[in-house]
Amino acid sequence: MPEQLQPFLHDLEIVHRAPTQAWSGRDGQIRLAAPGTATVQGLMHSDVRVLSEAVLEIGGREAEPAGSWHDDDGGLVVVGLPRHLGTTWGDPTLRLTRARRVEAGGMHEEIELTSSTAEPVTTEITVRLAADLAPMESVKSGIATTPLAAQEAEPGLVWAAGEVRATLEAPGAVVDLSEPARPVLRWSVTASAGKPARVRWRVAAEDRIAVVVGARRAAPHGWRGLRRPAETRLARFLERSLRDLDGLRLSLPALPDAEFLAAGAPWFFTLFGRDSLWAARLLLPLGSELAAGTLAVLASFQGVKSDPESQEDPGKIMHELRRTTLTLHGEELSLPPLYYGTVDATPLWVCLLHDAWRAGMPVDAVERLLPQAERALAWIADGVRDGYLNYLDTSGHGLANQGWKDSADAVQFRDGRLAKAPISLCEVQGYAHEALVHGAQLLEAFGRRGDATAGTSPAQLRETAAALADRFRADFWLEDAQGAFVAIALDGDGAPVDTVTSNMGHLLGTGLLSPEEEGIVAARLVHPELDSGFGLRTLATSSAGFWPLSYHCGSVWAHDTAIAIRGLLASGHVEAASRLAEGLLKAAESFEYRMPELHSGDSFATVGRALPYPSACRPQAWSAASAVVVAQALGAL
């Protein structure tokens, strides 16, 4: 058994306001990991865990948990019953309520003790604390950490390590530092009927090398003004998703007015090219403001040179932004703080620019990004002029797979063999085709001729797209017992990788397929080997590598299904779109309408309720954004 395990998340509570997040048990307690186990519990800020323990007790014991909920502002409220105080039978006479809120850069709690007795109850409330200031990659890898000693400082306690500093204040508390690494806050309180006792404490975090900061404006108007659907489940899904998305909004210190969405909590609380682009694109029916910010932020990092270590190339859109190099224990992975190892973000950036323009993005904002669009189109055209957009990690320590299914085993043949690089993914060719055609439309609409030497004149872009479609039709189509389908990829030898996967759903609406071919894909998507009843499986049950709890080889990803639904609607396959949308809505209901990053690929007919993938991130930007596509497919938008 491995020494370290990635922590499970499915049974934990989160309160978030990017770039800060607090994870706890459902009882509200933030606990240190037990020996031999891993936990993400704690307050994390800017990819550093600030607090690793915050255990509340009253009268020397924990109150028995009675229930918890999230309020309208996303805060967590937990109710406990301290039956060891004041009652020995019958009705509980005391109630302890803990309300937790997170803002960008901090967390605060208000603790209230209420009593039903006229006689005063005097007791002690304590909060036991620990802080390890551990980097996110250590937490994710399940590496044991050691709490740091707290220092007394005005106005309370301070923990510091490197560029990170956490400051705690607790008005009215006596701070017990007999164990400096496990300080205790102590309040003596008295409560009686109609006279509750209240205490509060707060911790603020600062990271001097933070690469992202919290959004400083209200959520986009289109989110706040959305009409509530009549269907109760759909209304709850949309409301929960938009609340979660509001808490995922970020900006750059240098571009504070350009907002984008963090990919997801807890591991991806930063800018991701592909994730942020798709989330903004799925949300376009609610307005173009977020898309405009996402496009501007990614344009500011557009590649200008060729660098094998970071995978940067001129015109390329980045993949991931971190405060420091990302190295995960037990994996041959070491990514620089600014990493470009993605094959799809560049065409997706062009696609979003076109769609945002059509959705009402201000013309001057679109025009300012056209030079970056031409450079992105040059990168795409160069990649597909005589072949396909493909990827190959040349650094030896980057991502082996650089599409959205980026785990090491994500691209495999039906018999389980892994495809060898360079790999040309089917959906990426669809993105490229759409980017070339819509890029040509953009240039013409704004009176730009492109660069003939780079192959980016509108006529050249269309010719390149048409040739790509012809090659794709000859190289990617296969047949099995169920009929025709699109291979997930071509491997390094040009052989089609013969697994039936959800990837082909991304081709719908890109213009790469003929209407007849789109009909074939639509039929395969709703076949039981892919359609689980809770969304699309990433890999069909007919493949040797299928496993419903595999990250990319049998599980269901909400955004993946949402993209297919979006394409089904665009290509006129409304019934299939509605069927998949209803499946996602059933999955959302299983998760109290906070759609996780992914869930198990078990069949609805077998389990009746979507099962969690226990280490799935939640909330996840593109999973939450899938609610908008579900609403479109079910006629509510």
Side-chain angles (χ1 to χ4, degrees):
M1 191 170 181
E3 294 181 4
Q4 284 86 27
L5 293 171
Q6 183 172 329
F8 280 175
L9 307 170
H10 68 288
D11 58 350
L12 300 181
E13 292 284 1
I14 177 179
V15 185
H16 70 288
R17 174 63 62 179
T20 309
Q21 52 186 318
W23 289 81
S24 70
R26 293 188 181 270
D27 60 359
Q29 303 286 36
I30 296 174
R31 303 180 192 274
L32 293 172
T37 66
T39 182
V40 71
Q41 292 191 34
L43 175 67
M44 299 178 73
H45 174 73
S46 185
D47 272 356
V48 177
R49 183 164 62 187
V50 178
L51 285 183
S52 50
E53 183 178 40
V55 174
L56 171 66
E57 294 185 348
I58 181 168
R61 289 168 56 181
E62 295 184 35
E64 296 176 66
S68 63
W69 64 90
H70 288 265
D71 61 24
D72 290 341
D73 295 323
L76 177 67
V77 181
V78 180
V79 174
L81 304 176
R83 292 195 296 167
H84 59 287
L85 300 174
T87 184
T88 57
W89 61 273
D91 298 338
T93 57
L94 293 174
R95 172 173 168 150
L96 190 68
T97 302
R98 181 181 198 175
R100 174 178 298 146
R101 300 196 181 283
V102 167
E103 62 273 355
M107 178 185 83
H108 67 274
E109 289 192 348
E110 294 185 359
I111 302 163
E112 180 182 75
L113 177 65
T114 55
S115 173
S116 65
T117 62
E119 301 80 15
V121 175
T122 299
T123 187
E124 183 180 62
I125 292 176
T126 63
V127 178
R128 185 176 68 252
L129 301 166
D132 56 9
L133 301 190
M136 181 277 296
E137 53 264 36
S138 295
V139 179
K140 184 178 183 182
S141 299
I143 296 174
T145 60
T146 302
L148 302 176
Q151 304 295 323
E152 284 190 282
E154 195 63 34
L157 297 175
V158 169
W159 295 268
E163 295 81 9
V164 179
R165 178 183 176 91
T167 304
L168 180 140
E169 54 182 300
V174 174
V175 181
D176 180 351
L177 271 174
S178 55
E179 292 184 61
R182 305 288 293 280
V184 179
L185 308 178
R186 301 184 183 276
W187 294 270
S188 178
V189 299
T190 300
S192 59
K195 296 181 179 180
R198 298 184 180 92
V199 301
R200 60 186 175 87
W201 64 281
R202 180 181 186 275
V203 62
E206 177 187 3
D207 177 15
R208 291 195 296 271
I209 61 170
V211 292
V212 293
V213 295
R216 63 183 190 180
R217 296 184 295 182
H221 177 74
W223 302 11
R224 291 176 277 131
L226 185 64
R227 177 177 58 87
R228 179 185 172 91
E231 212 277 4
T232 302
R233 295 176 304 156
L234 185 55
R236 293 183 65 186
F237 187 21
L238 275 168
E239 288 167 359
R240 183 65 179 265
S241 295
L242 292 177
R243 189 185 311 136
D244 281 342
L245 289 164
D246 181 32
L248 292 174
R249 292 183 301 125
L250 286 170
S251 61
L252 301 178
L255 293 172
D257 292 326
E259 294 182 3
F260 59 91
L261 292 175
W267 317 125
F268 310 118
F269 237 44
T270 186
L271 174 65
F272 272 72
R274 175 194 312 118
D275 300 55
S276 299
L277 286 163
W278 260 125
R281 199 176 187 196
L282 296 177
L283 289 165
L284 274 176
L286 306 187
S288 62
E289 183 180 344
L290 179 71
T294 304
L295 289 161
V297 166
L298 290 170
S300 73
F301 291 111
Q302 188 174 37
V304 296
K305 64 182 185 299
S306 295
D307 179 9
E309 285 296 300
S310 68
Q311 302 278 279
E312 179 182 359
D313 280 318
K316 195 175 183 183
I317 300 298
M318 53 81 74
H319 173 59
E320 180 176 352
L321 179 67
R322 297 284 186 181
R323 63 193 294 274
T324 59
T325 296
L326 176 67
T327 303
L328 295 179
H329 179 81
E331 299 183 28
E332 295 179 359
L333 187 71
S334 180
L335 307 183
L338 180 56
Y339 181 58
Y340 289 80
T342 171
V343 71
D344 50 11
T346 308
L348 286 172
W349 187 92
V350 176
C351 291
L352 179 61
L353 179 62
H354 171 272
D355 290 357
W357 167 54
R358 292 295 194 192
M361 180 174 163
V363 171
D364 59 338
V366 175
E367 195 160 21
R368 283 195 298 270
L369 294 173
L370 292 179
Q372 289 93 335
E374 289 192 37
R375 291 194 285 272
L377 287 165
W379 183 86
I380 298 165
D382 183 61
V384 304
R385 191 165 289 114
D386 298 312
Y388 299 103
L389 280 188
N390 61 33
Y391 59 83
L392 170 67
D393 172 48
T394 56
S395 71
H397 51 76
L399 290 171
N401 281 317
Q402 297 183 3
W404 84 259
K405 294 178 180 177
D406 58 3
S407 53
D409 64 347
V411 186
Q412 56 178 265
F413 289 87
R414 190 170 295 211
D415 61 9
R417 290 177 296 120
L418 298 185
K420 64 180 182 179
I423 292 172
S424 305
L425 293 168
C426 70
E427 76 273 18
V428 174
Q429 315 318 314
Y431 305 157
H433 183 277
E434 184 177 358
L436 292 168
V437 173
H438 286 172
Q441 292 178 9
L442 269 171
L443 296 184
E444 286 179 337
F446 285 86
R448 299 179 72 98
R449 298 180 178 179
D451 182 354
T453 61
T456 60
S457 72
Q460 289 172 311
L461 293 175
R462 289 191 176 93
E463 290 171 3
T464 302
L468 172 63
D470 289 341
R471 286 194 301 277
F472 186 93
R473 191 162 287 114
D475 295 341
F476 273 84
W477 281 93
L478 296 173
E479 286 198 23
D480 64 5
Q482 304 300 330
F485 68 96
V486 179
I488 182 177
L490 304 183
D491 73 358
D493 294 326
V497 181
D498 62 345
T499 40
V500 176
T501 67
S502 61
N503 297 57
M504 72 178 100
H506 294 225
L507 298 172
L508 298 172
T510 65
L512 185 67
L513 305 181
S514 69
E516 180 183 0
E517 290 167 338
E518 288 184 322
I520 294 170
V521 169
R524 290 307 294 251
L525 292 179
V526 295
H527 188 278
E529 68 175 356
L530 278 181
D531 181 9
S532 73
F534 292 117
L536 287 175
R537 297 183 180 96
T538 43
L539 182 67
T541 55
S542 56
S543 295
F546 170 78
W547 174 240
L549 287 172
S550 169
Y551 195 59
H552 285 133
C553 297
S555 61
V556 173
W557 289 63
H559 88 281
D560 183 36
T561 303
I563 292 169
I565 293 170
R566 181 178 177 273
L568 286 166
L569 291 173
S571 58
H573 297 90
V574 177
E575 184 177 347
S578 299
R579 174 173 166 175
L580 293 181
E582 179 61 34
L584 278 190
L585 189 54
K586 286 187 292 190
E589 188 177 15
S590 302
F591 299 112
E592 299 177 341
Y593 301 100
R594 172 173 275 167
M595 187 70 85
E597 176 187 17
L598 68 156
H599 55 271
S600 169
D602 289 288
S603 171
F604 171 73
T606 301
V607 298
R609 182 180 177 86
L611 296 177
Y613 181 90
S615 57
C617 293
R618 58 184 177 86
Q620 187 88 350
W622 55 15
S623 292
S626 70
V628 173
V629 179
V630 170
Q632 287 180 295
L634 298 180
L637 280 181

